[in-house]
Amino acid sequence: MFRVNKAAFRLQHRLCRQISTSSPLRTTSVTLKALGLDSYNLGVYNGQWGGNGDVIETTNPATGEVLGAVQQASAREVDETIGKAADAARYWRTVPAPKRGEVVRQMRNAIADKIEPLGRLVALEMGKIMAEGVGEVQEYVDVADYAVGLSRSLNGKVLPSERAGHAMLEVWNPIGTVGVISAFNFPVAVYGWNSAISLVCGNSVVWKGAPTTSLTSVAVTKILAEVLEANALPGALCALVCGGAETGEQLASDRRIDLLSFTGSTKVGREVALAVQARFGRSLLELGGNNAVIVHADADIDLAVRAVLFAAVGTAGQRCTTARRLLLHDSIHDAFLERLVAAYAQIKVGDPLQPGVLCGPLHTRASIAAYEQGIADVVAQGGRILYGGKVLGDRPGNFVEPTVTSISHDAPVVQREIFAPILHTIRYTNLDEAIAWNNEVAQGLSSSLFTSSPEHIFRWIGPEGSDCGIVNVNIPTNGAEIG
């Protein structure tokens, strides 16, 4: 016989349960279970789940914890999946566009129903903070809303003909099968943008996500597969082939992929473009961005400091639209930098699931090496470190200090994109000079001017202004607009 102190036992049980609930392992297991995932998962879907390639473990970049494993696609499975997707496209193109839109609407709702666990998985696997993870899933929801509307407004044109009694019609028809290769930094949204539009336009989609975010790829595909099954549609409409560079090369070289959408580095994008062009295929590339913010003398300084801070530090500098260059007018340069550095000192770096954290980890150890090389190059090329510049090696995970530098606009390190939270600050004397320096880098994606002058605004957005694809005024370089 033995006695149990019931009060102490109940207290111990509550404490153990609280510790268990808040532990990283508990968080991971709850998240995986909510999304139908396990510690081991198949990474090929074409109507059936499979996987005969290598087994890849994905890790939490904040802790180094192994989150789970995904069995990648073999070359034969990639080939079979592309064939099944092509067959599915031939059926799907006969379905009226509004009915295709109805299926995408159901997918939108299914993704929205899982927005919290899916956003948490993005935070765990990619490393961005929880608010950004949920926000990324919301981007998929938003573009699906847009796609549903588009399904009832896929307009063509009626043009006058030179021939009596004739008219010319411009009609948009499906392409066929769209391949999507997405990057680690937006493991949900980039696929969502591509797939929602492709589906309402009558195409099937074959997706290869980044190997380091394979769990997220599987989770999203499981959600979509349930919708397809409920509508008695071919699963290969939303096919998945998890894999590495070899899988990407296979998609790029296969003639059955009628359009290949690639998001990633400029280096790899160039290789993808050449491979697709070699077979006279079509490609859609979203590559690097060496984005600048210009803060002119008449800017709202409070607004600009807040905008620059999040544009440069959010997602630990791992967005294609991250602010990497900050051009400050001579008259406000010193005062602005004083305030910005003070704001940087308040940034909380840490576990992206913890409240108050603004800057999570870099995604991989290779990213840390790129950060360290960038800092070394700044110093070697005559620049100064105004804040940060160190790897945070006193903790597990891939953490670095968000960094502010002062350097010449034409330094080689400024001319290249470093996928890390490094912000180069540069002094200028007039707006013409600032616009020229904004335009001088090879990567033109996003740009922003802070000013209160309508004259400056219209110059900035006009033919003599920014040469970037996204031209902002009084807002940061980052952000997701649907339209």
Side-chain angles (χ1 to χ4, degrees), residues 78-431:
V78 175
D79 180 71
E80 291 174 349
T81 298
I82 294 172
K84 290 182 178 181
D87 291 340
R90 283 188 282 272
Y91 165 73
W92 187 235
R93 68 190 180 190
T94 68
V95 176
K99 292 186 177 180
R100 299 195 298 253
E102 166 57 19
V103 174
V104 172
R105 185 193 67 81
Q106 294 175 34
M107 291 177 172
R108 177 257 186 229
N109 290 345
I111 292 289
D113 287 345
K114 298 287 187 178
I115 191 168
E116 195 276 337
L118 198 51
R120 195 180 330 119
L121 180 59
V122 171
L124 285 167
E125 194 172 36
M126 184 272 147
K128 63 180 64 175
I129 62 174
M130 181 65 179
E132 289 186 280
V134 171
E136 177 181 342
V137 181
Q138 184 63 47
E139 289 183 36
Y140 191 156
V141 172
D142 292 343
V143 80
D145 282 336
Y146 173 78
V148 172
L150 185 65
S151 71
R152 291 185 177 272
S153 57
L154 292 169
N155 301 325
K157 293 179 181 178
V158 178
L159 303 170
S161 172
E162 295 177 354
R163 304 173 189 175
H166 288 73
M168 293 189 295
L169 304 182
E170 179 185 87
V171 179
W172 295 91
N173 287 315
I175 291 173
T177 299
V178 175
V180 177
I181 301 176
S182 60
F184 73 87
N185 58 334
F186 281 86
V188 173
V190 168
Y191 172 71
W193 303 335
N194 282 276
S195 67
I197 302 296
S198 294
L199 288 169
V200 298
C201 290
N203 307 299
S204 62
V205 182
V206 180
W207 180 24
K208 189 200 88 68
T212 51
T213 54
S214 292
L215 287 174
T216 301
S217 300
V218 173
V220 170
T221 302
K222 281 181 174 287
I223 294 170
L224 304 183
E226 290 182 1
V227 175
L228 294 172
E229 184 178 342
N231 286 273
L233 290 169
L237 284 173
C238 294
L240 175 68
V241 285
C242 290
E246 298 83 1
T247 301
E249 291 167 2
Q250 197 170 345
L251 292 176
S253 62
D254 197 306
R255 290 180 178 274
R256 294 169 296 175
I257 298 294
D258 298 288
L259 170 69
L260 182 62
S261 173
F262 172 84
T263 302
S265 71
T266 301
K267 176 181 179 295
V268 178
R270 183 176 290 110
E271 296 169 358
V272 168
L274 291 173
V276 174
Q277 179 58 34
R279 59 179 174 86
F280 296 110
R282 284 173 281 192
S283 62
L284 178 65
L285 307 176
E286 203 280 290
L287 308 176
N290 195 349
N291 315 294
V293 175
I294 299 173
V295 183
H296 204 52
D298 59 353
D300 180 330
I301 301 302
D302 289 338
L303 177 66
V305 168
R306 292 195 302 270
V308 168
L309 180 71
F310 187 63
V313 176
T315 322
Q318 298 169 111
R319 299 192 198 102
C320 54
T321 54
T322 289
R324 308 197 184 281
R325 298 176 295 145
L326 174 61
L327 309 180
L328 299 170
H329 189 269
D330 183 69
S331 65
I332 54 97
H333 177 275
D334 293 350
F336 191 97
L337 274 185
E338 182 179 352
R339 294 183 59 175
L340 184 65
V341 168
Y344 263 68
Q346 302 302 312
I347 295 170
K348 186 176 180 180
V349 179
D351 186 335
L353 292 179
Q354 294 302 312
V357 170
L358 177 63
C359 183
L362 293 177
H363 189 57
T364 63
R365 302 301 297 180
S367 301
I368 289 183
Y371 169 88
E372 291 179 307
Q373 185 62 58
I375 297 300
D377 289 346
V378 167
V379 175
Q381 295 168 20
R384 294 182 296 126
I385 306 300
L386 304 181
Y387 184 86
K390 298 183 180 65
V391 175
L392 298 176
D394 60 342
R395 63 187 80 178
N398 305 327
F399 293 100
V400 300
E401 290 181 325
T403 298
V404 181
T405 81
S406 176
I407 193 168
S408 172
H409 72 94
D410 56 356
V413 69
V414 176
Q415 297 294 308
R416 77 173 193 264
E417 180 188 30
I418 302 172
F419 226 54
I422 300 175
L423 178 66
H424 302 301
T425 67
I426 300 156
R427 186 192 298 261
Y428 74 92
T429 57
N430 60 72
L431 187 59

